[in-house]
Amino acid sequence: MRTHLAPVTAEPTAADLAAIDMEWPLIAAELDVLDAEITMLYAEDHGGPTVLDWRRLRRAEAGVTRAAAELADRTAGPRRAA
């Protein structure tokens, strides 16, 4: 039995696009980690990952941490002085 789905006609709003734009550095950093992990998986078939493969993965993971921290700082709003 097939169910009928309503067609999606709504376009992203300006607010949706702005939110994606704000989060894009984190998304890009996560894609860098994924790319490094894929490289590591392929390297297993060719003698194992090299020192540079491991360095690339660590740098990509550090980039995610930095991007997440920057995003958290931007979305947290102004901080009050204690």
Side-chain angles (χ1 to χ4, degrees), residues 1 11 14 19 22-23 25 29 34-35 41 46 62-64 71 73 79:
M1 176 189 265
E11 297 287 327
M22 181 183 290
E23 292 179 19
L34 180 62
D35 191 43
L41 290 173
H46 301 352
V64 168
L71 180 61
D73 285 344
R79 294 183 180 161

Side-chain angles (χ1 to χ4, degrees), residues 65-80:
T65 303
R66 279 191 306 275
E70 289 171 7
L71 180 61
D73 285 344
R74 283 190 305 231
T75 58
R79 294 183 180 161
R80 294 184 189 189

Side-chain angles (χ1 to χ4, degrees), residues 36-51 53-54:
E37 289 173 340
I38 290 169
T39 300
M40 298 284 279
L41 290 173
Y42 281 125
E44 289 295 326
D45 294 337
H46 301 352
T50 66
V51 172
D53 292 333
W54 285 106

Side-chain angles (χ1 to χ4, degrees), residues 17 20-21 23 25 28-29 33-34 47 49-50 56-57 59 62 65 79-80:
L17 294 174
I20 291 169
D21 193 42
E23 292 179 19
V33 169
L34 180 62
T50 66
R56 181 177 180 216
L57 179 60
R59 292 182 101 183
T65 303
R79 294 183 180 161
R80 294 184 189 189

